[in-house]
Amino acid sequence: MEASGGYERTVLAALCAAGLHVVLLQPRQVRAFAQYKRRRAKNDRLDAGLIAECVAGLTARRAGFDPHLDLLGEALRRIEQIEADIVRAKTRRESFHDVRLRKAQTREIERLQRLLKAETKRLVAEVDAAPALAARLSLIESGQGIGRRTALTLLIDMPELGQLSREQAACLAGLAPFDHDSGTHKGLRRISGGRASVRRALYVAALPASFRWNVALCELYQRLVAAGKPHKKALTACARKLLTYANAVLQRGTPWTTTEPLLNGC
C-alpha cells in the first residue's frame, strides 16, 4: 500500500487483523521507483501495478502493524498539537498591549496547559496498563537526560528501538550525518529525513542534558565545541548519543548505569 495522509490506516488495520503482511510505502518511494522505471503514465491500475512491483523488490521488512501503538500514537499527536497551540498562544499574547486582551490570552494559555497535563497523564496511564510497554518506558526513562515526554515519543513513534544498530537508529530518527562528496569535493555532512517527531524530541532533550544532567554529554558537547564545531552540530551529536543510549538499554534489557553502555561500540 501507499500512504495517503492517514486515510490508509483503517484498511491497513483490517488487513493486518486478517493475518496478512502489509507493506506501507511512502509516496516518494513509489514516485522515485516510477522515475527509475521511466513510467510517466498514471492511473489507478498502473499505480497498483507499480506499487506491487516496488514491493516485490524490497529486501527489508518493517515490524508489523500494532493497533494499540497506533491509538497511543494518536494520543501523542494530540499532545503535540496542544504543545504547538501553547506556543502560538504565547506568541499572540506578545502582540497585545490591552490589559484585558492579554489577560484573556493568559487564561487561554493556562487552559491549554491544564489540558496538556491531563492528556499526558491519560497517555501515561494507558502505557502503564500494558506491562510490556511500561517496562520499555521505564528503561528508556532511566537514561540521564531523557525525561517522561521524550521517553513517550521514543516508545510510541520508534517501536523498532532496541532491535537496531546505532547507525540504523540514527538514520531512522533523522540524526545521521550523510556524506555529500563527489570526486575531490568534500561536502558538508548533513542530517536528512527520518522521523521528525523523534528527532525534535531528542534535540529538545539534548540541550539541558548536555549542559547539566548528563556528564558524558556535557563532556562530548564541550569537546566538540572546543574542536570548532558549531553549537547546533554539537547539540545534534548529543541528541544522537541520547538515542544510542536508549537503544542500548532496550537491547540489554537493563536500566541505565552511570557508565556509558558498551553495546555496539558506543
Side-chain angles (χ1 to χ4, degrees), residues 21 23 58-63:
H21 180 78
V23 177
L58 292 179
T59 55
R61 291 188 174 185
R62 288 181 57 184

Side-chain angles (χ1 to χ4, degrees), residues 2-264:
E2 184 182 55
S4 180
Y7 292 104
E8 77 286 347
R9 289 165 59 193
T10 302
V11 179
L12 176 64
L15 292 174
C16 290
L20 297 174
H21 180 78
V22 185
V23 177
L24 185 64
L25 298 174
Q26 298 179 22
R28 66 174 60 188
Q29 289 178 277
V30 181
R31 286 197 300 270
F33 186 74
Q35 291 174 348
Y36 164 68
K37 289 290 186 177
R38 299 180 179 179
R39 307 277 180 82
R40 296 195 177 187
K42 178 177 173 59
N43 58 46
D44 290 344
R45 182 171 181 174
L46 292 175
D47 285 351
L50 188 67
I51 291 171
E53 191 176 350
C54 183
V55 171
L58 292 179
T59 55
R61 291 188 174 185
R62 288 181 57 184
F65 176 78
D66 187 340
H68 186 207
L69 272 182
D70 188 57
L71 291 177
L72 293 179
E74 287 189 353
L76 183 61
R77 284 194 296 274
R78 172 61 174 156
I79 289 173
E80 292 172 349
Q81 291 168 357
I82 297 172
E83 290 171 341
D85 288 341
I86 291 174
V87 172
R88 283 191 290 266
K90 288 181 177 179
T91 303
R92 295 190 191 107
R93 183 175 60 180
E94 296 301 318
S95 65
F96 291 118
H97 299 284
D98 184 284
V99 175
R100 180 184 64 84
L101 295 177
R102 286 183 66 88
K103 287 184 177 179
Q105 197 65 23
T106 298
R107 288 194 296 271
E108 175 64 12
I109 294 170
E110 292 172 350
R111 182 189 70 82
L112 289 171
Q113 289 173 338
R114 290 193 298 270
L115 180 60
L116 176 62
K117 185 177 180 179
E119 290 293 336
T120 304
K121 184 178 180 180
R122 185 177 293 109
L123 177 57
V124 172
E126 291 179 3
V127 170
D128 288 341
L133 291 179
R136 285 176 61 84
L137 180 64
S138 179
L139 287 173
I140 296 172
E141 206 172 7
S142 68
Q144 292 177 336
I146 300 180
R148 174 62 57 87
R149 178 66 180 81
T150 304
L152 285 171
T153 300
L154 292 176
L155 174 73
I156 297 171
D157 284 349
M158 205 168 176
E160 302 92 344
L161 206 59
Q163 304 172 12
L164 307 170
S165 67
R166 62 176 182 173
E167 294 84 4
Q168 290 173 328
C171 287
L172 196 56
L175 288 170
F178 292 103
D179 296 350
H180 288 82
D181 299 342
S182 180
T184 58
H185 171 73
K186 300 295 182 182
L188 293 175
R189 272 55 176 165
R190 301 179 186 274
I191 61 174
S192 177
R195 298 179 184 174
S197 61
V198 175
R199 181 172 61 255
R200 184 169 55 248
L202 287 168
Y203 190 85
V204 171
L207 182 60
S210 59
F211 278 81
R212 181 175 182 181
W213 298 114
N214 191 304
V215 175
L217 289 188
C218 291
E219 294 175 352
L220 173 63
Y221 177 85
Q222 293 169 5
R223 185 170 67 253
L224 292 174
V225 171
K229 299 295 184 183
H231 166 73
K232 285 188 176 181
K233 283 192 174 181
L235 205 58
T236 300
C238 291
R240 185 165 59 248
K241 202 69 169 178
L242 274 180
L243 178 64
T244 301
Y245 292 161
N247 190 49
V249 296
L250 287 175
Q251 285 181 335
R252 296 182 310 173
T254 56
W256 168 275
T257 58
T258 53
T259 57
E260 294 187 21
L262 297 178
L263 198 60
N264 288 331

